[in-house]
Amino acid sequence: MDWGNFAQQLVNGLSLGAIYALIALGYTMVYGVLRFINFAHGDVFMIGAFAGLYINRWLKPFFTGLPEALSTAVVLLLSMGACACLGVLIEKLAYKPLRNRSRLTVLITAIGVSLFLSYSAQLIFGAAPKGFPNLFNSTTHDLPGGASATTEQFVVLGVTVLLLAALRWIVLGTRMGLAMRALSNNPAAASLMGVNTDAVISFTFALGSALAAAAGIFFAMLYQAIDPFMGILPGIKAFVAAVLGGIGSLPGAALGGVLIGLIETLVVGYSQDIGIPSGYRDAVAFVLLILILLFKPAGLLGKSEREKV
Amino acid sequence: MSASLLLDQVTMRFGGLVAVSGLDFIVNHGEMVGLIGPNGAGKTTVFNVITGVYKPTSGTVSLGDRVLNGLPAHRITRHGIARTFQNIRLFGSLSVFDNVRCAMIPGLRHGVTSALTRGPAHSREESRLRGEILELLAIFDMSGAADSPAEGLAYGDRRRLEIVRALATRPRLLLLDEPAAGMNPTEKSQLIELIRFIQKKFDIAVLLVEHDMKVVMGVCQRIVVLDYGKKIAEGTPEEIRRNPLVIEAYLGGEVADA
């Protein structure tokens, strides 16, 4: 066995998995407070990438002389902020009026919002893929074991870890996080204990969308091309990741994302050895979804909900 | 004595069904009032109207001189009305401490931004909050369980925690929805003591919905009786016990005639 190649697949799988994890967190958080799957989330990821492209283009003149780490952080944070606003707007306009309708209504609306965002982006940005510029000088670093990683991969992994730590602190360490957890436990009781549930739901959408924007920019950094439909597959795979980890569980979503990224990369990397053509890479996640739903529907870290009588 | 809670001609319709019809009653400051009636009389609907879960079809609900109907539930809570639920609704996976903390936070001024900056005002408030929560838990003998998840508590403790959590919102009026449900006689007598104690200790008014007459008679100074959404009687426990309309509503016409 070629350990160098294996290590390389792990590096590639981890950086892809980090992106899936960031998107999956948004699915799982929204599910936590509203109990529905926001299928427009993959399109927020796409908008995040475009926001990064244009913000970088507009601010380019101001970046001369600034260290690259700083200008990259500015692009990242502004795109996250823009998508946070977009997420709140989507929730207020599309989902909030349907708060007391059946979940199926909201789910179908989410698919509508997803199509609306994709085709609006096509109308505005054009259907052809756009090149994503290098936000910083990139080199390839050799790792022990014969693998190598690009600077982009380091940045993706490092910033993802930072974002996960920040998210953990918000959810477990702040009052807003406590309100989120209370709401996800029992929405009716939370509002009757004085928690402003609308504000908490908006905050949740903002948080999830900001993470999706970061994922969008990371994806664009790694693949260097973006298009209005780039959100569909990563969006669905991240959804599978959230289900794999246990929908509603934040550590589960992060774990699921990393696992899906690793499995997908390994299947492609070893396609000849295991006899699965690499063209099936996108099918991997869906086969996994079927297996999870058959054998462990609550997911790896999810709690199976007991029906109360 | 000022009227704490005032319901004036409150009607609640769901489509063609009139759940509550032209209901008037008051709960004075510091008073303990019982709201009783047969199943389906509209007692829980009255609670839901008072707490803002439902907006009344007509009529007004006010607390002090503030009109409450139309306000969202969390605003009404902040104006001083707290409740417990017929079927316990704790935040199951959160700790006992966090359940209480969650109810205290909305009254505070410092939100996410001050948590980010971690100013001295924030940490002062945070430690004061911690003290108050532990004190409250100590009053109800629950300090030992502060860090365990609420769903792991025994049934009686979960009921008690719901009351503690409601008190943590610093209410002027506490609504208790069938607090004795599922309790054995010993627990019921303890509950009566507990409600009396709370009323004195926190100087609040209590509105109690309860099927168990021993608890209602033991706690309340005044009782309002509902049947089919209408008030059919109001008075002291003694008066209610002897009221023929009440007996009929509870036992049915024939039995009352017999």
Side-chain angles (χ1 to χ4, degrees):
Chain A
M1 178 144 182
D2 177 1
W3 289 106
N5 183 35
F6 183 70
Q8 187 62 55
Q9 301 297 347
L10 285 188
V11 171
N12 296 347
L14 273 179
S15 42
L16 184 61
I19 291 170
Y20 291 157
L22 289 174
I23 311 174
L25 285 165
Y27 279 111
T28 222
M29 277 194 285
V30 166
Y31 183 86
V33 294
L34 286 181
R35 295 286 184 273
F36 94 101
I37 300 296
N38 175 18
F39 275 115
H41 195 57
D43 299 278
V44 175
F45 158 85
M46 174 272 295
I47 301 277
F50 275 96
L53 176 73
Y54 284 98
I55 287 170
N56 184 54
R57 194 177 284 176
W58 293 328
L59 294 184
K60 201 86 193 164
F62 305 100
F63 283 161
T64 39
L66 283 183
E68 280 173 336
L70 190 63
S71 62
T72 306
V74 168
V75 170
L76 188 66
L77 288 174
L78 286 179
S79 308
M80 288 171 75
C83 278
C85 298
L86 176 70
V88 172
L89 203 66
I90 292 173
E91 195 274 324
K92 290 259 184 263
L93 294 179
Y95 304 146
K96 195 178 166 202
L98 303 173
R99 192 68 56 75
N100 297 320
R101 303 294 182 81
S102 83
R103 272 173 221 155
L104 193 61
T105 312
V106 192
L107 201 71
I108 293 167
T109 306
I111 295 172
V113 172
S114 163
L115 293 172
F116 173 79
L117 289 177
S118 299
Y119 286 96
S120 302
Q122 193 185 31
L123 199 67
I124 298 167
F125 307 123
K130 286 185 187 307
F132 195 82
N134 288 328
L135 296 178
F136 43 81
N137 254 324
S138 174
T139 51
T140 305
H141 311 264
D142 286 328
L143 297 175
S148 63
T150 61
T151 313
E152 277 94 353
Q153 287 177 318
F154 275 114
V155 170
V156 168
L157 286 175
V159 178
T160 299
V161 169
L162 282 181
L163 289 174
L164 293 186
L167 181 68
R168 190 187 141 81
W169 174 73
I170 289 175
V171 171
L172 294 180
T174 68
R175 290 168 185 176
M176 188 52 108
L178 179 61
M180 283 170 72
R181 285 182 287 144
L183 185 61
S184 122
N185 256 266
N186 195 325
S191 75
L192 287 164
M193 291 306 130
V195 173
N196 182 350
T197 47
D198 285 338
V200 177
I201 289 168
S202 290
F203 181 80
T204 307
F205 269 85
L207 206 57
S209 304
L211 293 179
I217 289 179
F218 294 162
F219 195 83
M221 272 164 42
L222 293 182
Y223 297 94
Q224 301 189 325
I226 61 178
D227 70 83
F229 296 97
M230 66 182 273
I232 297 174
L233 271 177
I236 295 178
K237 287 177 192 166
F239 162 63
V240 175
V243 175
L244 170 64
I247 192 85
S249 154
L250 295 183
L255 177 69
V258 171
L259 283 178
I260 296 276
L262 280 174
I263 293 169
E264 185 184 322
T265 311
L266 288 174
V267 165
V268 176
Y270 290 97
S271 60
Q272 285 171 352
D273 306 274
I274 54 177
I276 300 175
S278 61
Y280 282 96
R281 72 178 298 160
D282 295 331
V284 172
F286 303 106
V287 172
L288 269 174
L289 179 63
I290 294 168
L291 292 178
I292 305 155
L293 293 179
L294 277 176
F295 296 110
K296 201 158 183 347
L300 295 176
L301 303 183
K303 269 187 281 183
S304 57
E305 285 194 15
R306 286 159 304 181
E307 282 292 322
K308 287 192 195 87
V309 255
Chain B
M1 215 157 41
S2 68
S4 185
L5 176 76
L6 171 69
L7 271 74
D8 183 18
Q9 286 298 307
V10 169
T11 297
M12 185 73 222
R13 263 191 214 101
F14 298 101
L17 177 85
V18 185
V20 176
S21 158
L23 181 66
D24 299 301
F25 71 84
I26 60 172
V27 178
N28 294 308
H29 176 79
E31 198 181 17
M32 311 245 257
V33 177
L35 183 63
I36 65 170
N39 281 323
K43 305 176 299 279
T44 297
T45 306
V46 171
F47 267 27
N48 283 336
V49 167
I50 295 172
T51 51
V53 176
Y54 303 142
K55 188 176 186 297
T57 317
S58 63
T60 50
V61 179
S62 47
L63 185 70
D65 44 14
R66 202 187 298 268
V67 175
L68 297 180
N69 44 338
L71 290 182
H74 70 273
R75 307 277 317 168
I76 292 181
T77 306
R78 291 179 199 185
H79 285 314
I81 297 183
R83 72 174 289 181
T84 65
F85 300 88
Q86 191 175 341
N87 45 343
I88 302 174
R89 292 190 187 171
L90 290 167
F91 306 126
S93 66
L94 302 193
S95 68
V96 168
F97 184 87
D98 274 350
N99 265 276
V100 179
R101 184 160 175 260
C102 194
M104 279 190 160
I105 281 172
L108 304 173
R109 283 168 296 121
H110 305 280
V112 180
T113 39
S114 81
L116 282 172
T117 51
R118 293 265 145 173
H122 181 87
S123 42
R124 255 204 313 279
E125 192 176 66
E126 203 58 37
S127 62
R128 180 173 59 81
L129 188 65
R130 202 185 154 71
E132 281 177 35
I133 295 169
L134 291 177
E135 198 180 325
L136 199 56
L137 287 175
I139 294 174
F140 292 92
D141 233 0
M142 301 192 78
S143 311
D147 294 323
S148 25
E151 61 200 352
L153 294 179
Y155 183 79
D157 286 344
R158 276 188 280 155
R159 282 238 171 263
R160 211 142 40 107
L161 177 57
E162 255 209 333
I163 295 176
V164 178
R165 186 180 64 171
L167 288 172
T169 64
R170 300 185 183 85
R172 281 193 275 163
L173 170 68
L174 177 64
L175 310 183
L176 299 174
D177 198 351
E178 297 200 24
M183 286 188 169
N184 64 33
T186 325
E187 288 171 324
K188 278 177 188 165
S189 341
Q190 286 168 350
L191 180 75
I192 294 174
E193 288 310 308
L194 183 73
I195 297 174
R196 284 187 186 140
F197 166 77
I198 288 168
Q199 194 275 332
K200 263 194 215 92
K201 167 96 187 165
F202 296 90
D203 188 30
I204 55 176
V206 176
L207 180 61
L208 174 74
V209 162
E210 184 52 66
H211 276 299
D212 189 289
M213 283 306 130
K214 188 168 159 262
V215 175
V216 177
M217 300 292 173
V219 164
C220 299
Q221 298 151 343
R222 202 152 53 79
I223 293 173
V224 174
V225 189
L226 283 188
D227 194 22
Y228 296 109
K230 287 198 175 73
K231 182 165 82 177
I232 58 168
E234 183 175 353
T236 62
E238 260 325 294
E239 289 162 4
I240 294 300
R241 218 194 294 265
R242 290 193 306 257
N243 189 315
L245 281 172
V246 178
I247 297 166
E248 188 181 315
Y250 266 93
L251 302 176
E254 309 92 282
V255 183
D257 289 340

